């Protein structure tokens, strides 16, 4: 299948590309910097500038849209918030606008979104049927999904992936959470009672492949593991896997001082249930947190941790 991907150079996209190439798909990645990627095997890299990508879009049977300014880099100044929102809304609008002006349409648009869509939810379980919440991220996700949804009027199947906290090697949330643990300074963030709806990166890719190959999958899909945990449990499991204590809590007020409004994402959470995936019989590779963390951190541990903590890991 010919697949056009935006954000294919990122933490999720680069792994997605590896797996799709291995599965025999023909990939074209839209990037802001195609020159930096010359020579990478199996994928054609095209710039958003120019018209070449529009031809690629016309030939694509599927479009996967992951592009967006990183959410957790730096304080949310007004300018950064505008970049976070506009990069997503604008890229999606451009893609769907070009689909509208072409006779040939892809069969499916798989568009990233996030569980931030639901806003802070406390103890309550949320599924795809729940309405959007309040706050900057919820508003951004709602606008992002609305742009993607317009493709449905063109006869394109639209899948909106509401991604949880993605765990994987060298990147994502773990790249920020692991270093304090390695230095014996790890512990739960905020009260520790907020819910963390996590997912292993291999399952993100697995669910994208599942959505590609199952024409009955459409609409919102929570991309989270079936067992969300509290922040306290998450950090205790992370400590166990790394052979380190989880003892030094980071108080919410300190995070607010350090990160400003962005701290809200860490001190509140969502208890998300992946109804669409379980109903559609997606088979999770990592349904449980400890195995997911062990897999995500295997290469990191081998490089950074001394032998005794790796022994703790292999004892599980
Ligand atoms: N990782 C997670 O835990 C997580 C959780 C929830 C939602 N998501 C969403 O899933 C998507 C992929 O996540 P990721 O972790 O792979 O993100 P990532 O590593 O930050 O990659 C995002 C990609 O978007 C492009 N990009 C970055 N800034 C941009 C801008 N200002 N304008 C246009 N394009 C820009 C970049 O591609 P080029 O440099 O090649 O243009 C980059 O490779 C993101 O939209 C993210 O919000 C991720």
């Amino acid at each position: 299948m010919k697949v056009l991907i935006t954000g294919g150079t990122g933490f999720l996209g680069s792994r997605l590309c590896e797996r799709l190439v291995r599965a025999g798909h023909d990939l074209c990645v839209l990037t802001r910097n195609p020159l930096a990627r010359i020579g990478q095997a199996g994928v054609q890299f095209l710039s958003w500038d120019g018209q070449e990508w529009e031809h690629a879009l016309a030939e694509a049977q599927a479009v996967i849209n992951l592009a967006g300014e990183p959410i957790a880099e730096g304080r949310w100044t007004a300018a950064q918030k505008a970049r976070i929102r506009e990069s997503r809304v604008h890229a999606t609008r451009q893609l769907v606008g070009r689909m509208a002006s072409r006779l040939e349409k892809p069969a499916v648009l798989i568009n990233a979104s996030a569980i931030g869509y639901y806003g802070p939810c406390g103890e309550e379980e949320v599924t795809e049927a729940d309405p959007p919440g309040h706050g900057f991220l919820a508003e951004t996700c709602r606008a992002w999904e609305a742009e993607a949804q317009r493709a449905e009027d063109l006869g394109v199947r639209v899948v909106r992936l509401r991604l949880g906290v993605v765990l994987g090697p060298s990147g994502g949330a773990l790249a920020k959470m692991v270093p304090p643990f390695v230095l014996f300074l790890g512990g739960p963030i905020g009260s520790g009672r907020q819910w963390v709806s996590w997912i292993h990166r291999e399952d993100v890719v697995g669910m994208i492949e599942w959505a590609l190959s199952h024409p009955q999958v459409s609409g919102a899909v929570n991309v989270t593991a079936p067992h969300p945990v509290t922040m306290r449990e998450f950090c205790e499991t992370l400590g166990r896997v790394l052979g380190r204590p989880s003892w030094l809590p980071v108080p919410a007020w300190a995070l607010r001082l350090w990160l400003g409004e962005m701290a809200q994402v860490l001190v509140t959470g969502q208890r998300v249930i992946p109804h669409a995936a379980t109903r559609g019989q997606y088979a999770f590779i990592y349904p449980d947190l400890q195995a997911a963390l062990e897999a995500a951190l295997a290469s990191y541990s081998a490089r950074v941790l001394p032998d005794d903590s790796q022994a703790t890991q292999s004892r599980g």
Side-chain angles (χ1 to χ4, degrees), residues 85 89 138-148:
R85 187 183 190 283
V89 168
E139 210 297 288
T140 298
C141 290
R142 200 152 59 92
W144 193 10
E145 290 194 20
E147 291 295 337

Side-chain angles (χ1 to χ4, degrees), residues 6-14 29-33 37 48 65-71 83 87-88 91 112-115 144 161-167 172-173:
T6 78
T9 57
F11 172 62
L12 299 181
S14 53
V29 168
L30 258 185
T31 169
R32 292 165 303 165
N33 194 0
R37 307 281 162 179
W48 284 94
N65 181 27
L66 304 174
E69 175 81 15
I71 281 173
R83 269 194 296 275
S87 58
R88 288 170 171 77
S113 176
I115 58 172
W144 193 10
L161 304 174
R162 294 188 183 145
L163 290 145
V165 177
V166 182
L167 310 179

Side-chain angles (χ1 to χ4, degrees), residues 163-167 197-201 203-204 207 223-225 284:
L163 290 145
V165 177
V166 182
L167 310 179
S197 294
W198 58 275
I199 177 115
H200 193 285
R201 189 171 63 170
D203 273 317
V204 176
M207 282 173 72
V223 184
T224 58
F284 283 91

Side-chain angles (χ1 to χ4, degrees), residues 9-295:
T9 57
F11 172 62
L12 299 181
S14 53
R15 181 63 183 144
L16 175 68
C17 287
E18 279 172 19
R19 292 234 331 235
L20 292 182
V21 166
R22 208 185 304 151
H25 297 290
D26 189 355
L27 304 192
C28 176
V29 168
L30 258 185
T31 169
R32 292 165 303 165
N33 194 0
L35 291 179
R37 307 281 162 179
I38 283 174
Q40 199 165 316
V43 183
Q44 185 188 11
F45 291 90
L46 292 179
S47 168
W48 284 94
D49 303 324
Q51 295 191 326
E52 219 181 332
W53 74 267
E54 295 184 32
H55 300 302
L57 178 66
E59 289 177 356
Q61 279 109 38
V63 175
I64 303 173
N65 181 27
L66 304 174
E69 175 81 15
I71 281 173
E73 301 293 330
R75 284 175 85 90
W76 282 356
T77 59
Q80 183 61 6
K81 279 165 79 171
R83 269 194 296 275
I84 288 171
R85 187 183 190 283
E86 287 314 308
S87 58
R88 288 170 171 77
V89 168
H90 180 71
T92 313
R93 189 176 295 156
Q94 243 184 311
L95 283 174
V96 177
R98 293 303 189 284
M99 284 179 202
S101 64
R102 290 260 169 190
L103 219 52
E104 318 85 341
K105 323 267 187 234
V108 60
L109 166 64
I110 298 181
N111 205 83
S113 176
I115 58 172
Y117 175 90
Y118 301 110
C121 298
E123 282 295 310
E124 209 181 306
E125 288 188 348
V126 289
T127 73
E128 290 88 350
D130 280 283
H134 300 287
F136 168 65
L137 278 189
E139 210 297 288
T140 298
C141 290
R142 200 152 59 92
W144 193 10
E145 290 194 20
E147 291 295 337
Q149 197 55 30
R150 284 145 57 109
E152 215 165 67
D153 298 337
L154 308 173
V156 176
R157 174 167 67 98
V158 178
V159 182
R160 291 169 277 126
L161 304 174
R162 294 188 183 145
L163 290 145
V165 177
V166 182
L167 310 179
S170 47
L174 286 179
K176 293 196 164 58
M177 292 184 82
V178 166
F181 274 85
V182 172
L183 297 171
F184 291 88
L185 297 172
I189 293 167
S191 70
R193 290 191 299 275
Q194 70 276 37
W195 286 85
V196 181
S197 294
W198 58 275
I199 177 115
H200 193 285
R201 189 171 63 170
E202 292 305 304
D203 273 317
V204 176
V205 176
M207 282 173 72
I208 291 175
E209 288 181 317
W210 166 79
L212 273 178
S213 60
H214 288 75
Q216 69 274 26
V217 177
S218 72
V221 174
N222 289 338
V223 184
T224 58
H227 308 299
V229 295
T230 61
M231 175 63 82
R232 184 174 307 284
E233 189 180 343
F234 187 94
C235 289
E236 280 169 5
T237 313
L238 179 59
R240 198 160 54 242
V241 168
L242 290 168
R244 293 287 190 273
S246 171
W247 67 282
L248 195 63
V250 185
W253 63 263
L255 270 179
R256 287 201 180 94
L257 209 62
W258 179 33
L259 298 173
E261 188 184 346
M262 196 177 84
Q264 185 73 2
V265 180
L266 302 170
V267 300
T268 62
Q270 295 89 4
R271 189 178 186 181
V272 176
I273 305 301
H275 248 173
T278 43
R279 205 179 44 224
Q281 299 189 327
Y282 171 73
F284 283 91
I285 307 165
Y286 296 106
D288 294 308
L289 180 61
Q290 175 141 342
L293 284 171
E294 283 171 356

